[in-house]
Amino acid sequence: MTGITTGCSSSSGSAASSSASSSAVPPRVSASGGTTVVHLYGVQQSSGVYQPNGSAVADPSASPAPGSYLVGTDTDYDGDHTSHSAQAVGTDHLYCLITEAPTTGTCSAEIELGTAMLISDGSTQDLSANGAMTFPITNGTGRFAGVHGTVTVTGVTGTNNSDFTITYSR
């Protein structure tokens, strides 16, 4: 996908490909003054760019037109790309509708960690391959019900994978 990135990281074998489940080991967290920070390494499992009619974009180097959309999924590991767990702790999903060519989209994303989920809905993002994307946390389930904060996603150079920094409080 030249020119745009899903922010959700096909696996290049840099981490175990076990699937996450509710019995997955929870990620390590750090807390200070009511704020909690979680670091995850997302290994891309799928991604695609689709035309408004649902057919795959045939030329991945072409800029998607407004109404096109992209979808990505990752398996998430505790840590970051330099040091992470061997066992998955969760999964994530990203959906972005292209609203302004070539790379502006309105996005919704979910991160599942065990039996709880962090949700970001309706976030405007620059989907170009440069820089980090920050998503506001708009909702949550389970232990994340009622939290607010951000998820910052930074692509790992030379891969389709990403580092996630989740910062939240109640």
Side-chain angles (χ1 to χ4, degrees), residues 54-150:
S55 62
V57 171
D59 179 2
S61 65
S63 293
S68 298
Y69 59 96
L70 59 96
V71 179
T73 62
D74 294 340
T75 298
D76 298 323
Y77 299 85
D78 183 33
D80 63 25
H81 73 281
T82 62
S83 176
H84 54 83
S85 62
Q87 183 178 359
V89 297
T91 60
D92 65 75
H93 169 260
L94 174 71
Y95 171 90
C96 293
L97 176 67
I98 304 300
T99 56
E100 185 179 326
T103 61
T104 300
T106 299
C107 302
S108 293
E110 305 83 27
I111 299 174
E112 170 273 327
L113 295 171
T115 60
M117 189 181 311
L118 289 163
I119 301 166
S120 176
D121 285 325
S123 174
T124 299
Q125 297 292 325
D126 176 0
L127 303 170
S128 65
N130 301 319
M133 294 188 291
T134 299
F135 296 84
I137 297 171
T138 58
N139 206 342
T141 66
R143 70 180 185 271
F144 299 124
V147 304
H148 60 277
T150 59

Side-chain angles (χ1 to χ4, degrees), residues 6-62:
T6 61
C8 282
S9 335
S10 247
S11 174
S12 60
S14 59
S17 62
S18 64
S19 65
S21 69
S22 60
S23 63
V25 174
R28 293 171 298 196
V29 299
S30 59
S32 174
T35 299
T36 302
V37 178
V38 178
H39 295 279
L40 299 175
Y41 174 53
V43 176
Q44 185 181 64
Q45 299 302 309
S46 66
S47 70
V49 180
Y50 302 91
Q51 297 175 23
N53 67 6
S55 62
V57 171
D59 179 2
S61 65

